[in-house]
Amino acid sequence: MKLTPPAISILGQDPNRKHRINANSFQQNAITTAHGWQYAAFYTAVPPSKTEPGCYVNIARRQVHPGVNNVETEWQVLTFEDYEQVHDDGHDTISIGVCEGDGTVHVAFDHHCDELKFRISKGGVARDISSHEWETSLFTETRHCLPGVEEGELVKEVTYPRFVNVGNELLFTYRTGQAGLGSDLLYKYSAATHEYTFLGQHLTGISNSPYINGIDYRQDKLHISWCYRNFVTPPNPVAADAHQQQAGPNGPENNYDLNYAFSDDQGVTWKSSQGRVLACMEGGEGVETTILPDAGARVFEIPMGSGILNQEGQAADWDGGVWVLNRERVDGEMMWIVYYRNPEGVWMRKMISGVLKPTETGSRGSVCVDRKGDVYLVLPGNSDASLNIMRARKEELYSRFEPVWMWDGFDGEPLVDVKRLETSDVLSMFTRTSEDVDGIRNVVVLDLLLTEV
C-alpha cells in the first residue's frame, strides 16, 4: 500500500531569484518541532515599493498533532523587516534551532564566507507558547556574535550554519574559510546559562575542506559524515570575491571519499567507526585536538570525478545505525547510493533502483528514520518536477527500498522535520513548488501520514 496524498500548506511566495535560496539540503534546520509546535524558516521578496530587490527573513510556527491536521492549526508568520538579504546567492539560506531546555529560538542567516548574522528569542518562547504573541519583538536585533562568545575572527567567514538538539541543549556548527580551504567549528548552547561555549574546530581541512552530510544526535551519540573537496587554485586574475561565486574550479568534481565519526560526549571527543579516538578538543597526550584529513575517518574510498555531491543527506536510527544518502557514477550512469553502518560498525553500500536516476549536480535528497525504525529516502526528480519517497522496512532487515509515494510539481531540495518524526507518524517536508504559468513558486510544507503505508 502507498501513502495517501499529503496535506499541503503554503508558507509564502518564493523570491524570484536565479539561485534557489529556500529548500537547500544544507539547511539544518529549515523546519523543526519542539514542545508540540513546529517552526519553519524561509525568505520572501521585499515588496516592490522598496528600492532594493532584497529578501526578508520569515519564521513561521504552528501547533502540530500526532496526525495530519491542516484545518485546526494555521501557520503564524513573523517577518524581520529590519534586515534585507540582497545577494542572489544560493548559499545564503536560513537555519533555525530550538533549545528545548530554555525555550529559545535561534536563527542564523545570510552567509557565504560572511560575518555571522544571528538572532535569538527570549527565553520560554518555545515552551510557554500562550504567554508570547508571535512577533518580532521576541527576538534580538541581528548580532554578529553568539551569546557568551566574544566577537572575533572565528565568526568573520561563516558558511553553512547548522543546529542540532542534544537533549535539552543545542549545538551550533558552521564552516569557516572557503570551498576547498575550510574547516568546521562547533559550539554548545546551555539552557542553564543561556550562553554558547566554543568547543573547538572538530574538522580541519588541509588544502581541502570537509563538507558534512549532516550532524545527528540519537541514543546519546552524535554522528557526522562528510566528503572532502580538494582545493584548486583559480586561474589569474582572481577576483576579490572569487571564493563566493556559485561555481568555479573548486566545485563538486573535486569531492572525494566518505568519512564518518561519532561522539558519545556531545562533540568533545570524536571516534572512528571502529571506536578509535580521532580527536579530543580538550586536548590530551598523544591526541589531536581536531580531526585531520589523514586521521583515519574514511569508510569508503571514492575518487574525485566519481559524481558524489557534497551535503546530500544523513540520518541515525534507533539501534545505532547510520544512513548516508549520496550519488555515484556506476558503469557510466549516475545512481542514487545509500551507505549504511550497522550497529556493529560494519558498512555496506547499496544502489537504489526503481526511481529516476539523479544527475551530477541535480537537486539533493534527504534520508530519515521514523519512530518504528523504518528508513525513508526523499528523492527529488533531477530531470523532472517529481518528488519520490522510498522506504526500507526494519522488519525486513532493510533488504530493499521500495517506492511508497510520488507526486509532481516540486522544485527544491526536500528537508525533513526530524524532531516531529521522532514522536509522531507524520513526515513533514519543507520544499518549494515548481514555477507556475505566472512564474510563481511557493514555499510549502507537505505532511504525509506514515501509518497508511
Side-chain angles (χ1 to χ4, degrees), residues 226 292 345 347 392 447:
W226 69 97
L292 298 169
W347 284 89
D447 296 316

Side-chain angles (χ1 to χ4, degrees), residues 193-204:
T193 65
H194 317 298
E195 292 183 341
Y196 279 92
T197 301
F198 177 57
L199 297 183
Q201 184 169 294
H202 59 300
L203 294 176
T204 293

Side-chain angles (χ1 to χ4, degrees), residues 127-202:
R127 289 176 58 90
D128 189 7
I129 303 296
S130 61
S131 298
H132 299 94
E133 292 292 327
W134 192 237
E135 54 190 23
T136 57
S137 62
L138 295 174
F139 289 80
T140 64
E141 73 287 351
T142 298
R143 294 177 173 176
H144 303 296
C145 60
L146 297 168
V149 180
E150 292 185 5
E151 189 172 349
E153 290 303 312
L154 292 180
V155 294
K156 295 298 185 184
E157 209 170 19
V158 175
T159 313
Y160 307 129
R162 294 175 182 257
F163 297 95
V164 61
N165 293 89
V166 288
N168 283 329
E169 318 288 354
L170 194 66
L171 295 182
F172 179 57
T173 182
Y174 58 84
R175 186 190 77 190
T176 183
Q178 56 184 275
L181 287 174
S183 300
D184 283 22
L185 308 180
L186 189 62
Y187 299 79
K188 185 176 182 180
Y189 178 80
S190 167
T193 65
H194 317 298
E195 292 183 341
Y196 279 92
T197 301
F198 177 57
L199 297 183
Q201 184 169 294
H202 59 300

Side-chain angles (χ1 to χ4, degrees), residues 326-341:
N326 214 303
R327 63 193 73 192
E328 287 185 38
R329 188 180 300 105
V330 180
D331 297 329
E333 286 190 308
M334 292 300 298
M335 298 287 295
W336 294 107
I337 305 288
V338 169
Y339 311 88
Y340 169 52
R341 177 186 184 269

Side-chain angles (χ1 to χ4, degrees), residues 175-238:
R175 186 190 77 190
T176 183
Q178 56 184 275
L181 287 174
S183 300
D184 283 22
L185 308 180
L186 189 62
Y187 299 79
K188 185 176 182 180
Y189 178 80
S190 167
T193 65
H194 317 298
E195 292 183 341
Y196 279 92
T197 301
F198 177 57
L199 297 183
Q201 184 169 294
H202 59 300
L203 294 176
T204 293
I206 300 177
S207 297
N208 58 21
S209 59
Y211 280 83
I212 69 172
N213 298 303
I215 180 167
D216 291 283
Y217 185 75
R218 184 151 288 176
Q219 306 296 77
D220 299 324
K221 283 190 178 180
L222 194 63
H223 304 270
I224 190 169
S225 67
W226 69 97
C227 71
Y228 283 106
R229 178 180 296 179
N230 264 356
F231 179 75
V232 176
T233 302
N236 290 322
V238 179

Side-chain angles (χ1 to χ4, degrees), residues 33-322:
T33 293
H35 300 298
W37 284 73
Q38 189 172 59
Y39 301 82
F42 61 100
Y43 284 112
T44 52
V46 170
S49 59
K50 294 278 188 174
T51 55
E52 294 288 336
C55 295
Y56 285 148
V57 173
N58 303 268
I59 311 295
R61 73 174 185 181
R62 65 172 177 177
Q63 191 173 11
V64 292
H65 304 285
V68 174
N69 190 322
N70 62 344
V71 177
E72 295 179 3
T73 55
E74 295 183 356
W75 289 98
Q76 304 168 11
V77 182
L78 63 80
T79 303
F80 296 110
E81 296 184 358
D82 61 346
Y83 182 91
E84 293 187 22
Q85 192 283 329
V86 296
H87 295 109
D88 190 351
D89 187 329
H91 298 77
D92 293 349
T93 55
I94 312 167
S95 291
I96 55 174
V98 179
C99 179
E100 297 191 3
D102 69 357
T104 49
V105 181
H106 303 231
V107 190
F109 53 96
D110 195 14
H111 304 101
H112 188 188
C113 305
D114 294 306
E115 187 175 28
L116 177 70
K117 302 175 191 72
F118 180 87
R119 306 179 93 128
I120 185 171
S121 76
K122 298 176 181 178
V125 166
R127 289 176 58 90
D128 189 7
I129 303 296
S130 61
S131 298
H132 299 94
E133 292 292 327
W134 192 237
E135 54 190 23
T136 57
S137 62
L138 295 174
F139 289 80
T140 64
E141 73 287 351
T142 298
R143 294 177 173 176
H144 303 296
C145 60
L146 297 168
V149 180
E150 292 185 5
E151 189 172 349
E153 290 303 312
L154 292 180
V155 294
K156 295 298 185 184
E157 209 170 19
V158 175
T159 313
Y160 307 129
R162 294 175 182 257
F163 297 95
V164 61
N165 293 89
V166 288
N168 283 329
E169 318 288 354
L170 194 66
L171 295 182
F172 179 57
T173 182
Y174 58 84
R175 186 190 77 190
T176 183
Q178 56 184 275
L181 287 174
S183 300
D184 283 22
L185 308 180
L186 189 62
Y187 299 79
K188 185 176 182 180
Y189 178 80
S190 167
T193 65
H194 317 298
E195 292 183 341
Y196 279 92
T197 301
F198 177 57
L199 297 183
Q201 184 169 294
H202 59 300
L203 294 176
T204 293
I206 300 177
S207 297
N208 58 21
S209 59
Y211 280 83
I212 69 172
N213 298 303
I215 180 167
D216 291 283
Y217 185 75
R218 184 151 288 176
Q219 306 296 77
D220 299 324
K221 283 190 178 180
L222 194 63
H223 304 270
I224 190 169
S225 67
W226 69 97
C227 71
Y228 283 106
R229 178 180 296 179
N230 264 356
F231 179 75
V232 176
T233 302
N236 290 322
V238 179
D241 63 347
H243 62 292
Q244 292 179 304
Q245 300 303 309
Q246 300 298 301
N250 293 294
E253 67 278 2
N254 298 325
N255 295 342
Y256 65 95
D257 288 351
L258 176 63
N259 304 269
Y260 166 81
F262 72 90
S263 172
D264 45 24
D265 59 5
Q266 299 188 357
V268 176
T269 306
W270 291 93
K271 300 178 181 179
S272 71
S273 188
Q274 296 79 28
R276 181 175 63 85
V277 174
L278 299 172
C280 178
M281 294 195 289
E282 292 180 342
E285 185 176 352
V287 179
E288 296 285 353
T289 57
T290 185
I291 301 176
L292 298 169
D294 62 355
R298 184 173 68 188
V299 293
F300 282 98
E301 182 177 359
I302 306 172
M304 286 190 294
S306 297
I308 65 169
L309 266 185
N310 44 289
Q311 304 156 307
E312 188 99 48
Q314 175 192 291
D317 65 34
W318 300 100
D319 299 315
V322 178

Side-chain angles (χ1 to χ4, degrees), residues 432-450:
R432 25 173 243 181
T433 61
S434 301
E435 192 174 78
D436 66 16
V437 293
D438 297 316
I440 293 174
R441 293 187 180 94
N442 288 315
V443 183
V444 296
V445 174
L446 314 179
D447 296 316
L448 292 112
L449 189 58
L450 297 181

